[in-house]
Amino acid sequence: MAIPRYIEIHNEIRQRIAAGEWKTNKRLPAERELAAAFNVSRMTLRQAIQTLVDEGILERRVGSGTFVAEKKVSERALGVTSFTELMNKSGRHAQSVTVSYKVTTPSVSEMDHLKLKAEDEVLVMERLRLGDDEPILLEQTTLPVKLVNNFTRSKLTDSLYKTLIDAGIQPGRAEQTITASLATERQAALLEIKRGDPILSVRQVSYDQQDHPFEYVRSYYVGERFEFQLTR
C-alpha cells in the first residue's frame, strides 16, 4: 500500500525535529514556503501539520504561526475506561457518530506508539462522542489491522472496547498526555462550539494486561462539558 503524501511529510518533519534541525520554540517556515518545498498543495501540507499538532509535536500560536512545541509533563492513567462506561456512570446516554473510517499505512508516531513496522497497516477511525445528544468529544482512534481484521465496522464503531474484550483483548493500563488547545474550524463545527474555543487535547496509548499496546487515541474534549479527576 502506497504511503499517503501527508504521512510522508509528517514523518519527514518529525524526523527533522528529532534530529535537531528545528528546535523547541522554533517557528516553522510559512505554509506557502513549506508547501512549495514539499511540492504539494497547501491542503495536503495542512493535513500533515495538523497530525503533528494533534500529537503535541507542533503547536499553533494565534497570530504568530506554527512552532515546535515544548515537551509537556504527562500523567500515567491507572486504567482504561470506555466513553460509554463514563457516560453510564454519570447517568447520561452515550452515542457515537462515525466521521471517518479507513485502513492506511502508519505514521512514524503510530509505529512508535503501537510498536509497528512500516509495512503494517492500521485502521484509523474518527468518531464524534455524545452524551444525551450533546457533543462531548471528537476522537481519532488508531488500531493495528492485525488485531481487528475479523471485526465488522459496526462493532468497532459502536462498541469498540466490548468488541475487543469479547475477542480476548483485556485492557490494562494507559498512558495519557493532556494539553489545553484551541478548537480548529473543523473541530468546532463537529463539536458545535466556536472556532478558537478552549478544548482539552488528550493523547492516549492503551495497553493490554500483557503490556502490549493495542490502541493510540487522540481526543478533543469540549472544556465546559467535561472534566478529568485524578486520584493519588
Side-chain angles (χ1 to χ4, degrees):
M1 178 182 292
I3 300 176
R5 184 67 178 124
Y6 81 91
I7 290 182
E8 291 181 333
I9 296 170
H10 161 284
N11 293 346
E12 184 171 337
I13 292 176
R14 191 174 186 270
Q15 287 162 356
R16 288 187 185 185
I17 293 171
E21 182 176 340
W22 289 333
K23 300 185 181 299
T24 298
N25 285 322
K26 178 178 175 60
R27 184 182 184 278
L28 265 63
E31 189 177 273
R32 186 185 302 104
E33 183 180 339
L34 279 177
F38 286 111
N39 193 28
V40 295
S41 68
R42 292 175 71 173
M43 182 178 295
T44 298
L45 177 71
R46 285 174 189 152
Q47 192 173 8
I49 295 295
Q50 186 60 50
T51 62
L52 290 160
V53 171
D54 292 345
E55 292 165 7
I57 295 170
L58 298 178
E59 64 180 7
R60 290 194 174 96
R61 299 179 186 173
V62 178
S64 300
T66 302
F67 293 75
V68 179
E70 293 185 25
K71 290 187 177 180
K72 306 295 195 304
V73 176
S74 61
E75 174 75 24
R76 176 169 292 190
L78 297 178
V80 181
T81 305
S82 74
F83 177 78
T84 301
E85 184 179 340
L86 287 173
M87 288 298 100
N88 288 341
K89 286 182 177 179
S90 65
R92 304 182 73 176
H93 174 60
Q95 299 159 283
S96 179
V97 176
T98 303
V99 178
S100 64
Y101 183 99
K102 63 182 177 181
V103 172
T104 185
T105 51
S107 68
V108 170
S109 293
E110 290 167 333
M111 285 190 286
D112 286 348
H113 289 303
L114 294 172
K115 309 302 180 189
L116 299 174
K117 299 177 181 178
E119 61 268 25
D120 290 328
E121 293 183 333
V122 290
L123 169 64
V124 182
M125 57 184 182
E126 194 174 29
R127 295 179 294 171
L128 184 64
R129 316 305 297 274
L130 305 96
D132 290 344
D133 296 319
E134 181 178 50
I136 303 295
L137 70 114
L138 179 63
E139 177 183 85
Q140 182 178 334
T141 303
T142 300
L143 301 160
V145 164
K146 59 188 177 185
L147 291 183
V148 298
N149 207 27
N150 297 323
F151 300 140
T152 64
R153 171 172 173 168
S154 62
K155 281 191 174 183
L156 287 172
T157 54
D158 292 341
S159 53
L160 173 60
Y161 272 29
K162 182 179 185 303
T163 300
L164 294 176
I165 290 171
D166 289 345
I169 300 173
Q170 295 296 326
R173 69 181 179 92
E175 293 180 350
Q176 291 183 333
T177 302
I178 304 174
T179 57
S181 60
L182 303 177
T184 64
E185 186 172 347
R186 182 174 183 273
Q187 291 167 346
L190 290 167
L191 292 169
E192 298 179 8
I193 56 178
K194 295 179 181 178
R195 181 175 180 271
D197 276 358
I199 57 175
L200 290 174
S201 299
V202 180
R203 299 189 305 281
Q204 174 175 307
V205 181
S206 305
Y207 297 81
D208 63 21
Q209 293 187 0
Q210 284 70 51
D211 217 33
H212 298 139
F214 68 88
E215 175 191 52
Y216 177 42
V217 185
R218 285 130 292 176
S219 303
Y220 310 96
Y221 293 79
V222 180
E224 62 184 18
R225 300 173 192 163
F226 195 90
E227 66 179 12
F228 286 90
Q229 294 182 351
L230 300 176
T231 302
R232 295 186 180 279

